Amino acid sequence: MAKAEPRVIVVGGGLAGLSAAVRVAESGTKVDLFSLVPVKRSHSVCAQGGINACNDVARQQGYSEWQHMDETLIGGDFLNHQPPVYEMTHWAPKIIDLLDRMGVPFNRTSEGMRDLRLFGGSLFKRTHFAGASTGQQLLYGLDEQTRRYEAEGKINKYEFWEFLWPIIDDEGVCKGIVAQDVRSMEIKAFRGDAVVMASGGNGLMFGKSTMSVICTGAAVARCYQAGAYLGNPEMIQVHPTAIPGEDKCRLMSESARGEGGRVWVPRKKGDDRHPLDITEEERYYFLEEKYPGYGNLVPRDIATREIFWVCQEGLGIGGANQVYLDITHLPIATKNKLAAILEIYEKFTGDDPREVPMKIFPAVHYTMGGLYTIYEPYDPERDTYTPASEPKRQPNEGLLYGDPKNMMTNIPGLYAFGESNYAYHGATRLGANALLSCIFDGLYNGLSVHNYAHAPQGTPAGELPDALFDKYVEQEKAKVQKLTESTGANNPYEIHQELGLEMTATCTVVKEEQRLLQGREKLAEIKAKYQDLKISDTGVYTNQNVSFARALGDMIVYSDALMEGSIARKESRGSHYRSDYTERVDDQFHKTTKVKYDADADKPIIEWEDIPSPLVPLRARTYGKVDASPEKKEEAAAS
Amino acid sequence: MIAPNPDQKFLVRVKRQDGESQPAYWQEFEVPVRPSQNVISVLQYIAANPTTTDGKDVEPVVWDAGCLEEVCGACTMVINGRARQSCSALVPELLAEANGGPITLEPMTKFPVVRDLFVDRQRMFDNLIKVKGWVPIDGTHSLGAGPTESPEKQEERYAISRCMTCGCCLEACPQFTKDNDFLGAQAIAQAYYFNEHETGKKLKKERLDVLMGPGGVSDCGNAQNCVQVCPKEIPLTEAIGKAGRQLTVHAVKKFFTGS
């Protein structure tokens, strides 16, 4: 019998999924690509600001890849792993070059070179951008290459298919997935010698966020329930500047701050005059006063908390949870550079931000935790990749290229890339690093997946008996059947709203023990309600009601892990700020929160894992902070 | 702006269809007025409260949505008779347009209906394969930077690169129908976009062969509807015009050289 050709399954068609698919297909392995939506509509399109990479211009200003790594590590409050971050930042210039070759319309200087902009967390210009829709342009660039391989028969797309469960054989090795066509509702098993999860973030768990409606985190939660560990689930990035909306919060990119946008509130509480009637002296530019070094360019967690606190003090616009983000003073050319994001504000609020300061407030934006993954640190003895012409690297300076372990979860054969992976961002993500980490995962670790698929653990997927796959299909069919027959009391959309409000109140900007314990009880209540669901759609075709209700169950399980992680981490670090434990506590918590699902008790089990610091020692995050504000006694929280 | 009265309600008429081959029918819903309301929040309200104005509990309306920021292109539908994104369609404006209501929601008519307001736009993605909508790079290995480009060229390309494959241009186009093979503004503009890239133009001849064939540029009736409805203000007719000029040169060359 001819041996079955190895195949790789990629779940998710955003930047991470597409770059993985392209890289694996290019290596000569066939790829089956699954996405809930046509890949060109993945949430990556919404990224506005840009993508970080040291280039020659930055280098000549004194910047380096090492410094990019250092900024990423300190930005993440040292919860990131250093070897993968080293590798990512050192690969960044190559990634930009590649995207450039793919035809991504990066902004240009007069000489025709790629232009750079300033972004939070750095004092150097090192962010490449394509208008104010960099994510869209990068995704399209990768989508085009994917389509090219699709035309050549190397990539097979399954769009409008939802990932339901990983298939794990008797030896605990991942051998494929169960998925459902959300139009015909057909449920099927697919064999794969390696599976890459690139399913994005979990913003919908917080009700309203800046994410797409498909970003439920359900795919990650399903892997977690199937035995994969979560890493740092409590690390949720709340973006400082979003436009609050009825259906969702819309992102106002950090580039508005990077290009000179200023954040302020009236100095006088409850001052409800028109912003243009408030004079300079009557305005409180709180970020500039407290952080003179970085000003409006402080990292996101700091900006978020400062905005939150200022509103808590009652200094928000008219006493509400809103502050001004002001770009009215900027020159026309800069406003034009920001045109696309300004249009969003105008389109959804009706006000012209060129004339009137924008009203903004923080919103849940990015999932820094996710599936726990492992990697193989660089070892000069085993390096078969680095050309002799390149400078020699020390151990731990990066990853071992092509090693099958890179970004694999604790389940052999199951990988996690992009936002569904926990490795790169640590306790808060540096702006414009997300696009980089997603594409880096796909391009760099795609080779690891290819290598693994050609020498998988145990029996190759193509040779395993049908019974194994049928068992999982039956498991998923039974879940759908149970949901379809639910005639209980509770509407899933209402439960979702309740979940979102609770998670936003307890697990976002500021966390506190008592409130978290209440949240834990509230989650138990929500879980009980979920057991008594009412499904109003009995259709057997494109039943969105069933799909949503199923994802809701997974969101609740994931929320549990997030809540327990938040309770257990009794310190403040990056985006995780505990008002009852305001200091970073390295000896106890310079560790990964590893969360395992206890299926029998239906609850998360927390474990801790030390994080080595082979390259950069830990230091405090100050960003040049001073106690300048006469209005507020500082709690020295952000450091 | 006047604060909305919480007791105030308005009517929404939704054209429904249980599946591709099923007959279409209309249902009417009453929705309370909320601040900064768009069609998405109207549909979310109906999903949570699927009861028609005559008190019948019905199955929730199915629709397609993604980012809700007018970038992903998913939530396009025909609203008050015009194709647009439901995320950026604001209720106060729609009510004004419809003289106080009802607001009508229908699926796009140029694509097969999957269910209710959800349509299948695969044809648009297939057309991108037909016109070879990509830059033929030599793979993902480190081969240095791409070609330099003037800021003017970047701006021209950037404008077209924002096409989110939403289908508004095709819905509005009198030449594009469900059963003909006209490529339409979206695919032609993309072909032009790639022809204008230094490396992308290496496939220019092949793209122009496609645009010269059946369903190509000559089928465009120059009705200009596409450019008027494009939510991203892509200079579609200009791109079609420029593609047309490339075709003329291509045809003349072909005539004289036979290749």
Side-chain angles (χ1 to χ4, degrees):
Chain A
M1 198 176 84
K3 255 182 83 182
E5 207 186 333
R7 295 188 83 88
V8 166
I9 287 173
V10 176
V11 177
L15 289 172
L18 294 182
S19 50
V22 166
R23 186 71 186 89
V24 172
E26 182 184 59
S27 309
T29 305
K30 292 259 170 70
V31 177
D32 295 308
L33 176 59
F34 291 80
S35 172
L36 203 44
V37 293
V39 293
K40 207 178 173 181
R41 309 200 192 287
S42 301
H43 181 67
S44 302
V45 289
C46 283
Q48 297 169 355
I51 175 167
N52 291 335
C54 179
N55 78 347
D56 272 342
V57 177
R59 221 168 267 132
Q60 287 169 46
Q61 293 164 25
Y63 196 67
S64 66
E65 285 93 336
W66 183 274
Q67 196 158 349
H68 181 189
M69 173 190 74
D70 189 64
E71 282 169 0
T72 306
L73 295 176
I74 192 170
D77 227 345
F78 297 95
L79 218 53
N80 2 33
H81 278 266
Q82 300 189 354
V85 172
Y86 178 100
E87 197 66 68
M88 174 179 84
T89 51
H90 283 70
W91 256 62
K94 300 184 204 176
I95 287 174
I96 304 289
D97 278 349
L98 173 62
L99 294 164
D100 191 23
R101 283 171 49 222
M102 284 180 187
V104 171
F106 284 113
N107 274 49
R108 300 287 164 169
T109 63
S110 56
E111 203 180 333
M113 310 290 234
R114 291 168 313 219
D115 202 359
L116 293 169
R117 70 167 29 149
L118 205 53
F119 232 67
S122 184
L123 297 173
F124 291 93
K125 280 194 180 183
R126 48 103 161 99
T127 304
H128 297 75
F129 64 106
S133 56
T134 310
Q136 185 187 21
Q137 306 313 323
L138 301 189
L139 184 86
Y140 290 1
L142 287 162
D143 172 66
E144 289 148 12
Q145 296 302 320
T146 305
R147 188 165 294 107
R148 183 181 168 201
Y149 282 121
E150 193 189 5
E152 291 175 16
K154 293 173 181 163
I155 293 177
N156 204 357
K157 270 190 205 155
Y158 290 86
E159 291 171 322
F160 292 117
W161 279 78
E162 181 172 6
F163 165 85
L164 298 184
W165 208 260
I167 288 171
I168 296 165
D169 71 9
D170 300 339
E171 288 153 49
V173 182
C174 183
K175 294 292 175 188
I177 66 166
V178 187
Q180 180 173 34
D181 182 333
V182 296
R183 295 173 296 182
S184 71
M185 303 305 272
E186 180 193 10
I187 294 176
K188 251 178 88 172
F190 295 85
R191 292 167 190 253
D193 293 290
V195 174
V196 179
M197 297 304 296
S199 56
N202 61 16
L204 218 66
M205 278 160 56
F206 296 85
K208 286 184 209 173
S209 75
T210 65
M211 292 187 213
S212 288
V213 294
I214 46 172
C215 303
T216 60
V220 165
R222 286 163 192 163
C223 294
Y224 163 64
Q225 289 168 86
Y229 276 97
L230 294 176
N232 302 328
E234 69 275 21
M235 295 302 169
I236 276 291
Q237 183 169 75
V238 180
H239 196 282
T241 56
I243 316 162
E246 176 70 11
D247 51 340
K248 75 167 283 181
C249 299
R250 295 181 172 86
L251 178 68
M252 184 43 57
S253 163
E254 200 169 26
S255 54
R257 288 193 287 140
E259 298 289 353
R262 302 176 77 187
V263 177
W264 62 275
V265 287
R267 275 194 191 274
K268 210 173 82 206
K269 272 187 195 177
D271 189 341
D272 55 2
R273 283 179 295 163
H274 190 275
L276 297 180
D277 295 336
I278 302 176
T279 63
E280 276 295 297
E281 301 75 56
E282 294 172 307
R283 297 176 177 191
Y284 178 24
Y285 294 96
F286 51 99
L287 292 177
E288 296 169 33
E289 288 188 24
K290 273 193 195 169
Y291 301 89
Y294 281 71
N296 293 294
L297 289 171
V298 290
R300 292 181 176 177
D301 57 315
I302 296 178
T304 299
R305 258 191 323 270
E306 295 293 345
I307 292 170
F308 182 80
W309 278 327
V310 139
C311 292
Q312 289 253 301
E313 298 269 304
L315 283 165
I317 306 167
N321 274 345
Q322 281 176 345
V323 302
Y324 289 118
L325 171 58
D326 197 346
I327 59 111
T328 55
H329 58 284
L330 296 177
I332 304 244
T334 313
K335 286 180 185 168
N336 287 345
K337 214 163 161 182
L338 294 169
I341 62 170
L342 302 183
E343 278 161 25
I344 294 175
Y345 188 84
E346 195 170 3
K347 186 168 282 165
F348 290 97
T349 66
D351 293 330
D352 183 358
R354 293 167 195 84
E355 310 291 330
V356 188
M358 298 180 273
K359 290 179 185 171
I360 50 105
F361 195 68
V364 167
H365 179 59
Y366 194 89
T367 313
M368 282 160 305
L371 290 166
Y372 169 83
T373 48
I374 54 173
Y375 58 88
E376 187 62 26
Y378 182 77
D379 175 358
E381 301 291 312
R382 296 171 59 206
D383 176 22
T384 54
Y385 156 73
T386 313
S389 57
E390 279 188 28
K392 284 273 166 275
R393 288 197 267 167
Q394 298 299 311
N396 284 309
E397 286 189 347
L399 303 175
L400 197 62
Y401 192 43
D403 192 284
K405 282 204 204 71
N406 291 335
M407 299 309 142
M408 193 190 272
T409 67
N410 59 303
I411 298 175
L414 183 68
Y415 290 81
F417 286 6
E419 197 172 347
S420 61
N421 164 326
Y422 92 115
Y424 304 99
H425 305 306
T428 196
R429 178 175 67 84
L430 206 59
N433 255 12
L435 302 182
L436 177 63
S437 71
C438 289
I439 301 174
F440 170 72
D441 257 342
L443 288 179
Y444 185 90
N445 298 312
L447 185 65
S448 298
V449 174
H450 162 83
N451 288 344
Y452 176 86
H454 284 266
Q457 245 171 275
T459 317
E463 296 167 24
L464 284 163
D466 287 340
L468 171 73
F469 298 89
D470 294 345
K471 184 180 84 183
Y472 283 98
V473 170
E474 289 314 312
Q475 168 195 310
E476 294 307 310
K477 280 186 177 166
K479 281 186 204 164
V480 170
Q481 172 111 23
K482 188 174 169 230
L483 279 173
T484 315
E485 289 166 0
S486 300
T487 51
N490 305 307
N491 181 316
Y493 297 99
E494 284 169 10
I495 299 181
H496 173 244
Q497 217 166 25
E498 239 178 278
L499 175 74
L501 288 173
E502 189 61 22
M503 292 306 289
T504 303
T506 53
C507 290
T508 52
V509 186
V510 173
K511 308 176 194 180
E512 186 266 323
E513 186 96 3
Q514 280 312 311
R515 189 64 189 87
L516 286 166
L517 294 176
Q518 270 175 27
R520 181 195 267 167
E521 283 178 21
K522 181 78 188 173
L523 276 185
E525 253 175 62
I526 288 172
K527 206 173 262 184
K529 277 192 185 168
Y530 182 76
Q531 296 310 315
D532 190 29
L533 268 194
K534 180 182 175 221
I535 299 294
S536 45
D537 194 343
T538 55
V540 290
Y541 197 68
T542 327
N543 192 327
Q544 294 179 332
N545 214 213
V546 163
S547 302
F548 181 80
R550 177 175 50 203
L552 175 64
D554 299 305
M555 284 190 247
I556 297 172
V557 173
Y558 200 162
S559 297
D560 258 350
L562 220 146
M563 186 74 74
E564 291 307 319
S566 302
I567 295 172
R569 188 175 280 279
K570 296 185 197 308
E571 65 156 351
S572 289
R573 189 183 290 267
S575 68
H576 171 82
Y577 180 78
R578 287 280 302 255
S579 58
D580 41 1
Y581 300 94
T582 55
E583 300 294 321
R584 187 175 90 187
V585 187
D586 288 333
D587 54 344
Q588 269 188 64
F589 293 109
H590 181 230
K591 289 174 178 10
T592 298
T593 320
K594 274 179 77 177
V595 190
K596 188 167 103 178
Y597 180 67
D598 178 346
D600 296 324
D602 180 26
K603 65 168 204 214
I605 300 169
I606 307 264
E607 295 172 16
W608 300 99
E609 187 181 76
D610 287 331
I611 302 166
S613 303
L615 303 173
V616 178
L618 273 63
R619 64 181 191 273
R621 298 171 82 215
T622 55
Y623 294 97
K625 188 183 178 195
V626 292
D627 267 340
S629 152
E631 283 85 355
K632 191 166 168 1
K633 287 258 184 304
E634 253 317 302
E635 293 137 32
S639 51
Chain B
M1 202 175 84
I2 305 155
N5 174 355
D7 300 329
Q8 216 180 333
K9 293 187 171 175
F10 60 93
L11 293 174
V12 181
R13 265 165 63 76
V14 183
K15 192 176 187 181
R16 307 203 55 176
Q17 198 170 332
D18 297 343
E20 191 186 344
S21 51
Q22 307 287 318
Y25 56 96
W26 288 88
Q27 277 176 351
E28 200 174 62
F29 300 89
E30 204 174 36
V31 179
V33 174
R34 307 272 301 156
S36 62
Q37 203 170 17
N38 56 4
V39 168
I40 293 289
S41 42
V42 168
L43 287 165
Q44 284 174 340
Y45 176 83
I46 296 173
N49 306 278
T51 308
T52 58
T53 40
D54 41 16
K56 222 168 69 187
D57 286 341
V58 295
E59 282 162 356
V61 178
V62 171
W63 83 97
D64 198 1
C67 72
L68 313 189
E69 292 181 19
E70 210 183 62
V71 202
C72 80
C75 67
T76 318
M77 56 185 74
V78 178
I79 302 169
N80 284 351
R82 188 163 76 85
R84 50 188 136 181
Q85 270 67 54
S86 39
C87 63
S88 58
L90 305 181
V91 167
E93 287 159 28
L94 297 175
L95 283 175
E97 218 174 72
N99 292 323
I103 294 171
T104 58
L105 307 180
E106 297 168 79
M108 281 194 278
T109 60
K110 303 287 177 76
F111 304 96
V113 169
V114 174
R115 188 177 164 188
D116 294 341
L117 302 170
F118 185 166
V119 297
D120 180 355
R121 284 169 280 181
Q122 185 57 39
R123 178 173 167 189
M124 297 181 76
F125 298 111
D126 292 344
N127 282 344
L128 291 177
I129 292 188
K130 275 193 196 159
V131 300
K132 293 194 165 30
W134 53 75
V135 174
I137 56 167
D138 294 349
T140 61
H141 299 283
S142 284
L143 298 172
T148 56
E149 186 173 47
S150 69
E152 294 74 29
K153 188 43 89 188
Q154 185 270 344
E155 275 167 34
E156 187 194 359
R157 289 204 314 121
Y158 179 72
I160 307 174
S161 76
R162 294 182 72 201
C163 171
M164 53 188 185
T165 331
C166 68
C168 286
C169 57
L170 304 179
E171 180 67 22
C173 173
Q175 305 305 119
F176 185 90
T177 65
K178 242 179 182 170
D179 39 24
N180 69 2
D181 53 8
F182 180 42
L183 286 165
Q186 165 248 354
I188 297 171
Q190 288 295 304
Y192 172 72
Y193 170 72
F194 289 102
N195 284 350
E196 288 304 290
H197 184 261
E198 213 45 56
T199 316
K201 71 164 58 140
K202 295 195 162 59
L203 295 174
K204 189 170 173 180
K205 266 193 208 154
E206 291 169 56
R207 289 194 197 100
L208 292 176
D209 280 342
V210 176
L211 295 191
M212 207 155 72
V217 172
S218 61
D219 286 9
C220 167
N222 201 21
Q224 311 262 342
N225 292 9
C226 53
V227 79
Q228 283 164 30
V229 295
C230 176
K232 290 287 153 193
E233 292 169 11
I234 296 169
L236 289 168
T237 43
E238 210 180 300
I240 295 172
K242 286 178 175 168
R245 284 196 282 286
Q246 289 181 344
L247 269 180
T248 312
V249 175
H250 179 64
V252 170
K253 264 195 196 158
K254 228 178 148 114
F255 180 78
F256 284 110
T257 65
S259 69

